[in-house]
């Protein structure tokens, strides 16, 4: 992948994560004015934003293996909750998230909006 393609993909991922989480962040802030959204940070196969102690992470590759790196990124940024967004394997990731004693919600972002994913059955 050329530098231009990588830069273009990065810009798309940054715009996508902002558009996906903006409605959810606005809905959470009913009493106080909306805090500005931090600049998204790329790491590994994901991009993340920390907003009021909640880590919002969008998987960009390796969707089936994104929970661990996202959780580590959230903990490294002193988050108290993780909102993981993926376009693939949302049910499997949701099932795995139930194994942690941490506030984790997995969202299916395959339709361009966020839908809370239900844990898929154990295979």
């Amino acid at each position: 992948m050329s530098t231009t393609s990588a830069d273009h993909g990065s810009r798309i991922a940054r715009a996508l994560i902002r558009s996906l989480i903006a409605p959810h962040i606005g809905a959470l802030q009913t009493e106080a004015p909306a805090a500005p959204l931090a600049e998204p940070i790329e790491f590994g196969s994901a991009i993340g934003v920390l907003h009021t102690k909640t880590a919002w992470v969008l998987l960009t590759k390796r969707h089936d293996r994104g929970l661990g790196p996202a959780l580590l990124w959230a903990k490294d940024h002193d988050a108290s909750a993780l909102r993981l967004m993926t376009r693939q394997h949302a049910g499997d990731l949701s099932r795995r998230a139930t194994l942690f004693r941490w506030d984790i919600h997995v969202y299916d972002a395959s339709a361009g909006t966020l839908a809370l994913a239900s844990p898929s059955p154990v295979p």
Side-chain angles (χ1 to χ4, degrees):
M1 182 183 294
S2 71
T3 303
T4 305
S5 294
D7 291 342
H8 181 71
S10 176
R11 285 193 304 269
I12 290 172
R14 288 171 189 273
L16 181 57
I17 193 169
R18 284 187 176 122
S19 69
L20 287 171
I21 67 175
H24 297 274
I25 288 173
L28 296 174
Q29 296 177 332
T30 56
E31 295 177 13
L37 190 58
E39 186 65 26
I41 300 168
E42 291 182 66
F43 64 97
S45 299
I47 187 165
V49 171
L50 185 66
H51 186 75
T52 62
K53 301 294 271 182
T54 298
W56 292 83
V57 175
L58 173 65
L59 300 177
T60 56
K61 299 177 194 162
R62 300 183 58 153
H63 298 262
D64 59 329
R65 298 179 184 192
L67 179 59
L71 189 55
L72 288 173
W73 185 86
K75 287 186 167 269
D76 283 349
H77 286 83
D78 200 30
S80 57
L82 171 62
R83 303 299 177 251
L84 184 63
M85 301 166 283
T86 183
R87 292 183 306 263
Q88 302 171 16
H89 305 287
D92 293 337
L93 292 168
S94 181
R95 181 186 67 245
R96 293 175 194 152
T98 64
L99 300 174
F100 293 91
R101 287 185 171 198
W102 222 60
D103 182 8
I104 304 172
H105 293 209
V106 178
Y107 293 93
D108 183 342
S110 61
T113 59
L114 297 182
L116 191 59
S118 297
S120 61
V122 176

